[in-house]
């Protein structure tokens, strides 16, 4: 668990400052898509404009919400160069440069991959948390499949469980060729937000 997990205002918009119309924290209506179905920031299925291969592109609302989250990034995310490109309670996408995040042998540091994974899952859990609550990471695991030495890696987080007290995400990090670099799983606990202290 990082300090960023316990203070959502440092990393993601709070419930009061979420994008207008974002109803990710509300339970789906009868007949709504399952919690693990790709969805937009409003909780509806992603059906954005199609891209060259005919598949659905990113939902515009998820792209706008990602831009808002990027404005509120914490110190770690800024230093590592993590940038969200899509954000919703059920699916998030972010990129991160390999350069500047390598260990002494010139490979992407495994711990940095875990930071990317935990950032994605923590942001998603916070977006899906009810107003007046926070999401705190309580367990993270990662398997490193191959090294990356340059370029950009992309993380995609998909919610696999969205309960009232626990939320779990699967995160897949790939290189520019689409090869798996790391797979991770993060579980967050949903807690009442601490009272405002009035201190900076």
């Amino acid at each position: 668990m990082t300090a960023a997990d316990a203070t959502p205002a440092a990393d993601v918009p709070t419930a009061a400052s979420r994008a207008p119309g974002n109803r990710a924290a509300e339970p789906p209506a009868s007949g709504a898509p399952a919690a693990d179905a790709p969805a937009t920031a409003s909780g509806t299925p992603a059906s954005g404009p199609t891209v060259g291969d005919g598949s659905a592109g990113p939902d515009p609302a998820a792209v706008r919400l990602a831009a808002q989250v990027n404005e509120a990034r914490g110190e770690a995310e800024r230093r590592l160069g993590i940038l969200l490109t899509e954000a919703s309670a059920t699916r998030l996408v972010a990129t991160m440069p390999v350069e500047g995040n390598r260990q002494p042998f010139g490979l992407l540091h495994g711990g940095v991959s875990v930071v990317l994974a935990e950032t994605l899952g923590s942001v998603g859990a916070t977006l899906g948390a009810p107003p007046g609550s926070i999401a705190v990471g309580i367990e993270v695991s990662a398997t490193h499949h191959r090294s990356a030495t340059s370029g950009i890696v992309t993380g995609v987080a998909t919610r696999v469980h969205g309960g009232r007290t626990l939320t779990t995400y699967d995160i897949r990090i790939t290189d520019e060729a689409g090869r798996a670099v790391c797979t991770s799983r993060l579980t967050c606990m949903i807690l009442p937000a601490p009272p405002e202290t009035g201190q900076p």
Side-chain angles (χ1 to χ4, degrees):
M1 175 175 63
T2 64
D5 296 324
T7 54
D11 286 328
V12 296
T14 61
S17 64
R18 291 179 187 154
N22 181 13
R23 299 164 48 103
E26 297 179 15
S30 176
D36 58 353
T40 67
S42 63
T44 58
S47 59
T50 57
V51 292
D53 61 2
S55 61
D59 178 67
V63 173
R64 287 192 300 272
L65 187 55
Q68 291 178 350
V69 172
N70 287 332
E71 289 297 316
R73 285 180 300 163
E75 294 174 357
E77 292 86 350
R78 292 181 186 277
R79 289 178 180 164
L80 298 176
I82 296 172
L83 280 175
L84 274 86
T85 58
E86 296 178 47
S88 75
T90 56
R91 184 176 188 272
L92 303 98
V93 181
T95 60
M96 182 179 70
V98 174
E99 288 82 357
N101 292 319
R102 292 181 285 212
Q103 38 93 308
F105 296 110
L107 310 175
L108 177 65
H109 196 295
V112 174
S113 293
V114 176
V115 173
L116 173 58
E118 186 157 0
T119 296
L120 285 165
S122 294
V123 169
T126 299
L127 292 174
S133 59
I134 60 171
V136 179
I138 60 170
E139 183 178 25
V140 63
S141 64
T143 301
H144 304 290
H145 305 289
R146 71 171 58 243
S147 59
T149 58
S150 63
I152 299 289
V153 292
T154 300
V156 178
T158 305
R159 187 173 71 186
V160 295
H161 174 74
R164 289 177 295 183
T165 57
L166 291 178
T167 302
T168 301
Y169 287 82
D170 279 336
I171 303 101
R172 178 180 167 91
I173 301 173
T174 56
D175 63 14
E176 291 178 326
R179 300 173 299 187
V181 171
C182 175
T183 53
S184 182
R185 177 168 284 210
L186 173 72
T187 297
C188 293
M189 182 176 286
I190 308 302
L191 299 170
E196 294 288 336
T197 62
Q199 298 178 357

